[in-house]
Amino acid sequence: MFDFLKQENYDDSFYKSEIWLRGEESSDITKIKKNERIFIKMKNYFISHKLKIAYSFIMLAFIIAACSYPVSQEKNLGDVISWTINKNNTDALEKINSMEWINTGNLYVNEKNINGNIILEYNLILPKDSHDKAESLRNQLGAISGISSLKVVPLNEKVTRPVYSFALNKIFKVDINATNMSNDELKNEITSQLEKNGINGVKIEIESGKDGRRISRIFIPESSIKDEGGFDMTIKDGNNEERIKEVRKKGSEEEMLRFKGKSDDEIKKMLIEELNDKGITEDMIQIDRDGDKVMIKINAGKQGSDKKYEFESEEK
Amino acid sequence: MKNNKDIFIELLRPEYSDALKYCKALCSKRSAEDAQDVLQQSFLKALENFDSLSDKSKFKSWFFKIITREFYNLIRNDFWKKFLPVGNPKSNNEFPNVYSRQDENGTGMLLRKALSVISNEERSAILLFEIGGFSIEEIRNIQNEKSLSSIKSRLSRARKKMKDFIEKEEENLNKQILNKTINIGDINNETIRLLPETDGK
């Protein structure tokens, strides 16, 4: 098959090549080498290191993929102190209610009937970085007789999404120092802070009170707040401090049954009793009904103090 | 006293024709100018690195290895040319036209066509074996392969592909010839048939 190629003969052109080779100065070859342009060197480098380069690309792709892959991690949100006490133990209840910190955190009280005994179950949520405080409170509670099932549980949640997304679904804290801010700057700051946390369409009105204090009214669209979440905003303005808290909680099946068949007045009385907040009156509680769905809103402004407390609860 | 260039030319002389054949056949898929470029670059590289060849008895395999590498570089340049204006550095001294125009018969053309259907590595391996007369071990070294079996299978694949191609081409050629014969036959028959009729008139 290859006889044809084998028969070819180019010996007659050897003399031409010989002349060329003899005329080819070694300095010319060196010159050619020196004149190699940078991209030729690059090309040769890529060719000779193609495997390394290919592996580098694969590694880079892996790193990018690994970075963008959703990961799960335990995130500490704070601590929960929980305890139970018999409702009839008035002495212990008085001691608990007289504690200064009892109204500062997020306190949830559930009433349970166990074998005819009314048991109050307390859950106090403390923000993260207050673990030492939680330990101190546990010691104080531990000293009160009649308190049982006292425990401090770290509030962890498995996070598989970006942290900001996580915050949107829970209560987030906003602190604004408005001391040297104009009204417009304050409006912009509040709007941007709320928007950052997923609450849009907020209307803000700021006016000056008789005593020179600035009064800010924030109108938040009903649909902006998640079913399970809200925000806790503190605005510091000179020596005054204003706190606005908007929390929404979806009730359990058990809680829903408690409201079933109850009139608005009955629900209000129940809430006042359960919240055990002397500052809350019936006219502060707003109840809306949509079929079986009961929506409860409590607007509580503590007179005489610089704090305004709002609580919104939704029970299904 | 002989200098390096004299020794190089002396060693090149007996291998020259085979080197040119190898280079031209390697570039079967490409133009004769490409074959000439590969040859020129190979001469330059060989001259430049001749000092590094300690065992002069291995000149042939060393030089064919350079040709093979330069051929691969030419193919890679096609890729890089898409992105960068790359090209091999040229000498100021113009390289002579070493491939004189040779009229190729049908067999030669068919063989070159068959060589163009196999891969570059397969073509290089089979040409090194057939034209260069290298052993499988030497081809393995020239092609920088790790195992002998890969060269063996490369050679076997190349032969099979070429054989299949040539058989197919010959079959097509035979069909064409047969068709032409039938056509010519019909015309002849018609002419013969018509002759007595005209004679009688």
Side-chain angles (χ1 to χ4, degrees):
Chain A
M1 201 193 320
F2 288 91
D3 288 346
F4 172 81
L5 286 181
K6 284 176 189 169
Q7 281 163 16
E8 278 184 347
N9 195 321
Y10 293 99
D11 281 337
D12 58 344
S13 71
F14 182 74
Y15 78 96
K16 289 185 200 172
S17 298
E18 187 181 351
I19 294 166
W20 182 81
L21 283 165
R22 290 197 186 280
E24 196 63 35
E25 292 299 325
S26 58
S27 60
D28 282 351
I29 297 164
T30 320
K31 211 192 295 173
I32 289 163
K33 209 175 178 185
K34 276 183 185 170
N35 287 343
E36 272 189 347
R37 287 149 78 180
I38 186 76
F39 49 75
I40 294 174
K41 286 180 185 170
M42 277 171 67
K43 177 201 75 175
N44 291 333
Y45 178 82
F46 287 141
I47 290 166
S48 55
H49 295 84
K50 57 189 173 191
L51 269 179
K52 277 186 190 172
I53 292 163
Y55 283 132
S56 304
F57 273 112
I58 292 166
M59 283 301 290
L60 191 66
F62 269 120
I63 291 165
I64 292 167
C67 289
S68 56
Y69 194 80
V71 289
S72 298
Q73 70 175 119
E74 288 285 329
K75 185 175 168 63
N76 181 261
L77 304 172
D79 291 288
V80 179
I81 307 175
S82 64
W83 68 92
T84 55
I85 192 162
N86 195 313
K87 200 179 177 181
N88 298 327
N89 190 343
T90 49
D91 186 38
L93 283 172
E94 266 178 33
K95 281 181 183 169
I96 292 168
N97 290 332
S98 66
M99 287 177 166
E100 278 182 18
W101 48 264
I102 201 77
N103 291 324
T104 57
N106 297 314
L107 181 68
Y108 299 93
V109 186
N110 289 325
E111 197 176 287
K112 282 183 180 173
N113 190 334
I114 300 169
N115 301 328
N117 292 320
I118 307 296
I119 302 294
L120 296 176
E121 188 185 80
Y122 285 80
N123 284 299
L124 178 70
I125 300 168
L126 293 168
K128 65 173 184 174
D129 305 325
S130 23
H131 190 71
D132 292 340
K133 188 183 172 189
E135 287 297 324
S136 154
L137 297 183
R138 184 169 72 165
N139 293 337
Q140 288 178 41
L141 287 164
I144 301 169
S145 66
I147 285 181
S148 57
S149 308
L150 176 62
K151 57 191 172 197
V152 177
V153 182
L155 194 62
N156 289 337
E157 182 162 295
K158 194 169 261 187
V159 182
T160 53
R161 51 181 183 265
V163 177
Y164 71 88
S165 162
F166 171 78
L168 285 181
N169 291 296
K170 294 288 169 189
I171 303 158
F172 59 87
K173 229 173 141 52
V174 179
D175 290 313
I176 296 170
N177 189 348
T179 309
N180 295 315
M181 281 185 191
S182 66
N183 287 358
D184 285 339
E185 283 171 336
L186 179 58
K187 263 188 199 179
N188 290 339
E189 182 64 23
I190 294 169
T191 312
S192 78
Q193 289 275 7
L194 291 172
E195 278 178 357
K196 252 188 233 173
N197 291 288
I199 296 177
N200 298 304
V202 178
K203 277 185 191 171
I204 301 157
E205 284 175 8
I206 298 174
E207 59 181 61
S208 298
K210 285 175 188 171
D211 52 355
R213 278 180 58 199
R214 278 196 288 195
I215 300 163
S216 48
R217 289 200 182 89
I218 302 169
F219 303 95
I220 297 164
E222 196 73 24
S223 56
S224 295
I225 299 174
K226 306 275 175 191
D227 284 346
E228 288 278 340
F231 67 92
D232 184 352
M233 182 185 279
T234 308
I235 302 168
K236 198 179 172 197
D237 196 356
N239 294 325
N240 303 317
E241 196 174 85
E242 189 175 23
R243 188 170 176 206
I244 304 153
K245 193 170 179 181
E246 187 86 20
V247 180
R248 184 172 288 183
K249 188 178 177 294
K250 199 177 264 182
S252 63
E253 289 286 321
E254 195 185 336
E255 282 169 324
M256 192 181 75
L257 285 171
R258 290 201 301 131
F259 293 125
K260 202 173 179 182
K262 295 258 185 326
S263 66
D264 287 4
D265 287 341
E266 284 173 315
I267 293 171
K268 283 177 185 176
K269 276 176 189 162
M270 273 173 70
L271 283 170
I272 291 167
E273 197 181 335
E274 283 175 22
L275 286 167
N276 200 26
D277 190 332
K278 284 165 190 168
I280 297 172
T281 54
E282 277 189 26
D283 53 6
M284 291 174 185
I285 302 170
Q286 184 192 324
I287 297 174
D288 296 314
R289 290 175 187 267
D290 180 11
D292 287 342
K293 192 173 160 186
V294 182
M295 288 171 72
I296 301 160
K297 204 169 186 175
I298 304 164
N299 294 309
K302 285 192 176 180
Q303 301 298 320
S305 79
D306 293 329
K307 287 180 184 174
K308 188 183 174 193
Y309 178 81
E310 283 185 10
F311 179 81
E312 184 184 307
S313 167
E314 185 188 315
E315 304 292 346
K316 238 181 172 182
Chain B
M1 196 179 158
K2 286 179 181 175
N3 63 19
N4 255 357
K5 202 175 269 183
D6 291 332
I7 300 166
F8 176 79
I9 291 168
E10 205 171 286
L11 289 169
L12 177 67
R13 192 186 301 273
E15 317 303 343
Y16 179 78
S17 190
D18 280 351
L20 261 70
K21 280 187 258 178
Y22 174 60
C23 212
K24 193 179 175 187
L26 260 184
C27 298
S28 294
K29 232 177 170 177
R30 312 173 72 93
S31 65
E33 285 75 28
D34 283 340
Q36 193 135 316
D37 277 352
V38 171
L39 196 69
Q40 184 188 359
Q41 290 307 319
S42 305
F43 280 146
L44 287 171
K45 282 273 160 68
L47 262 181
E48 190 188 321
N49 298 303
F50 188 58
D51 288 342
S52 65
L53 179 68
S54 52
D55 185 357
K56 304 297 183 203
S57 67
K58 289 182 178 169
F59 176 81
K60 189 181 177 183
S61 63
W62 174 78
F63 186 56
F64 273 69
K65 191 172 186 172
I66 290 174
I67 296 173
T68 310
R69 274 196 205 159
E70 285 306 312
F71 170 67
Y72 288 156
N73 281 345
L74 179 84
I75 297 158
R76 285 179 195 131
N77 276 351
D78 285 349
F79 171 78
W80 289 101
K81 271 176 191 167
K82 290 173 193 166
F83 310 101
L84 299 163
V86 293
N88 283 317
K90 298 278 182 192
S91 162
N92 292 331
N93 183 8
E94 202 179 327
F95 191 70
N97 187 7
V98 289
Y99 290 113
S100 55
R101 274 182 189 276
Q102 289 182 349
D103 290 331
E104 287 186 343
N105 59 20
T107 316
M109 281 170 70
L110 187 62
L111 185 61
R112 292 208 189 276
K113 269 173 125 182
L115 280 167
S116 68
V117 297
I118 58 176
S119 74
N120 297 319
E121 285 81 11
E122 286 166 353
R123 195 181 316 126
S124 163
I126 200 144
L127 290 172
L128 286 167
F129 189 81
E130 295 290 344
I131 295 173
F134 291 105
S135 67
I136 291 174
E137 170 60 33
E138 284 170 320
I139 297 170
R140 186 194 66 78
N141 181 41
I142 291 170
Q143 291 200 326
N144 272 339
E145 281 295 339
K146 282 179 183 166
S147 68
L148 288 173
S149 59
S150 63
I151 299 296
K152 282 179 192 168
S153 56
R154 191 170 286 171
L155 283 169
S156 153
R157 261 199 320 272
R159 278 184 208 287
K160 191 180 179 307
K161 279 186 196 172
M162 284 180 74
K163 193 176 166 230
D164 290 349
F165 177 82
I166 289 170
E167 280 174 1
K168 210 173 176 182
E169 285 290 301
E170 280 175 347
E171 201 178 306
N172 288 339
L173 196 71
N174 286 339
K175 272 183 193 170
Q176 280 175 12
I177 292 166
L178 196 65
N179 285 340
K180 274 182 188 170
T181 313
I182 292 162
N183 288 336
I184 292 163
D186 287 340
I187 292 163
N188 287 342
N189 286 336
E190 281 168 18
T191 316
I192 292 161
R193 208 155 27 87
L194 286 169
L195 277 173
E197 289 172 20
T198 45
D199 284 348
K201 281 184 182 176

